[in-house]
Amino acid sequence: MYQHLFCCTALCFFIFQQGSAQNLVVNGGFERQPAREAGIWQTPPTPCQFAGSSNILNTSALGWKTFDVQTPDLLVWDSVVGCPTFPKTHKGNRMIGLIMYHPFQDGKFTFDYHELIQGRLAKPLEPGKTYRVSFWTRTNDSLGVQHLREVFGRVTNVRSVKCGNFGFYFSNGKINPKENFMLSQLDFSLRPQVNFTQIVETGDAWRQYSMLFKADRPYQYFLFGNFFSDAVTPLNMDIDERQKIDETNTATVDFWKKTKRIAYYCFDDFVVEAYKGEVETLEKTLLEKKTYTFESALLFDTGQSDLKAGSEPELLRLAAFLKTNPAIRLEIGGHTDDIGDDTSNFLLSERRARAVSVFLERNGIPPAQLRATGYGESHPVAANDTENGRQQNRRVECRQSEQ
């Protein structure tokens, strides 16, 4: 069995800030190769090809390991001619490709097939200290289809999907590569200390996801992947269609006739670094100061009013706070900088405030407890003549209301 021995509770929420602290992840971008070891068969990766063997990652990426029964792809970009069917790496010439969703109904196994990788830290985490954990990821609709067709040859009915449940499990011990981890999960159900449940869709572009994690033990390793059953993993597929495919595939004996769904993601540049900022507690701030501010960059892409991936954990914390404090009435105010005309800024701020309110309502908060208001550029908290000032003005303020 995997030598983890314990789980813990983590302080976890997603942020999109850059830091200058030292990255503790050994070879976070997969660029470095380990030194040759006597008696160890090393299988170097071939540019522009999927792995097909766990030995490629285990012997060709310093600090990284996987299980023998899994085949995460150490993808190498050809720096001279490129790779016509592969997306470009985020940095350097290497990235990792992982299957994050492939349900047992679609495959040959009695369990869902996910790929997990273990990274190593340069030094143990300090108990009680907060760390910023981040990675870059990219979706590509054709890559998962290409992957399964290369594995199974004549498979034709493949559906590329997007999923959630991107988790980190921190531990003191190394994995046992010979363990059949997916079967082990059925027995002890290892759960990550930090997990992003929302569906990840990057639109065939690289996007960074980041979170804060408060260590409770001197961890020196982490396992990354989807630790949850595909039955409960969020998916960008209508629930009725999803259930219909599950039922049809379960009743289909011929493997080649089954619809095969796969969520395949590229990953690059993993970072674990000491967080030097002060972790502000949403609950405490709302109770004591009666206001809490979200930077717009945390919730929305530039000029957009649709909540973006990464906003869910913080907004769920806000929903939990309101559920435990049902007497509190909250005004959700949208604010912008002064770039653009007044009318456009007002409408954008109004839509953003409403998007937050709708999210809270969908997560069990009565509409009577909320009021969404757009203020546009009329209530700045800093001068708009610098980028730093404009960034402060682009915000969503949650304020206790008398109404």
Side-chain angles (χ1 to χ4, degrees), residues 192-205:
Q193 293 97 334
V194 290
N195 189 65
F196 181 48
T197 59
Q198 190 170 338
I199 297 169
V200 173
E201 165 63 90
T202 75
D204 198 19

Side-chain angles (χ1 to χ4, degrees), residues 11 66 78 99 163 186 190 219 276-277 310 327 332 358 370:
L11 166 67
T66 189
D78 191 314
I99 295 175
C163 72
L186 298 178
L190 187 71
Y219 302 119
K276 295 185 177 181
I332 301 166
V358 169
L370 306 168

Side-chain angles (χ1 to χ4, degrees), residues 236-345:
N236 66 335
M237 180 179 287
D238 179 83
I239 189 170
D240 292 334
E241 182 184 13
R242 183 175 180 176
Q243 184 175 355
K244 183 177 180 181
I245 293 176
D246 285 344
E247 293 173 350
T248 301
N249 281 350
T250 300
T252 302
V253 177
D254 189 343
F255 166 77
W256 306 105
K257 293 182 180 180
K258 294 183 178 183
T259 299
K260 293 161 185 64
R261 294 158 291 180
I262 180 171
Y264 189 94
Y265 289 82
C266 296
F267 297 94
D268 206 349
D269 296 314
F270 283 81
V271 173
V272 175
E273 61 186 3
Y275 181 66
K276 295 185 177 181
E278 180 181 354
V279 180
E280 185 180 48
T281 305
L282 179 151
E283 295 82 359
K284 181 179 179 181
T285 303
L286 271 173
L287 287 173
E288 294 183 357
K289 299 180 180 179
K290 302 188 184 302
T291 183
Y292 187 83
T293 300
F294 296 102
E295 289 186 9
S296 287
L298 174 66
L299 305 180
F300 306 99
D301 286 321
T302 303
Q304 302 299 309
S305 58
D306 293 328
L307 290 168
K308 70 179 183 180
S311 63
E312 182 185 65
E314 275 290 78
L315 292 179
L316 286 176
R317 289 179 62 218
L318 178 58
F321 169 83
L322 291 172
K323 287 178 182 178
T324 57
N325 296 274
I328 288 180
R329 300 293 181 265
L330 204 66
E331 182 197 72
I332 301 166
H335 301 264
T336 71
D337 58 26
D338 67 349
I339 303 299
D341 63 81
D342 293 354
T343 301
S344 296
N345 285 336

Side-chain angles (χ1 to χ4, degrees), residues 31 43 49 54 60 67 83 108 145-146 151 153 159 166 202 233 328 352 358-359 378:
E31 301 296 321
T43 309
Q49 289 189 14
S54 61
S60 296
F67 300 98
C83 298
K108 293 184 174 181
V145 176
Q146 178 186 345
V151 171
R159 289 279 298 273
F166 287 39
T202 75
T233 293
I328 288 180
R352 286 180 167 181
V358 169
F359 179 93
S378 63

Side-chain angles (χ1 to χ4, degrees), residues 167-232:
F168 287 82
Y169 178 77
F170 287 87
S171 69
N172 295 90
K174 300 178 183 179
I175 63 172
N176 175 7
K178 297 186 180 301
E179 178 185 354
N180 190 334
F181 186 75
M182 299 315 299
L183 280 178
S184 299
Q185 272 284 74
L186 298 178
D187 295 328
F188 60 80
S189 299
L190 187 71
R191 290 295 175 255
Q193 293 97 334
V194 290
N195 189 65
F196 181 48
T197 59
Q198 190 170 338
I199 297 169
V200 173
E201 165 63 90
T202 75
D204 198 19
W206 286 102
R207 178 178 290 181
Q208 187 183 34
Y209 290 82
S210 182
M211 66 213 78
L212 296 184
F213 166 65
K214 187 174 182 180
D216 70 331
R217 298 177 186 268
Y219 302 119
Q220 198 162 4
Y221 298 89
F222 64 87
L223 195 62
F224 174 80
N226 180 1
F227 294 81
F228 294 85
S229 164
D230 282 340
V232 299

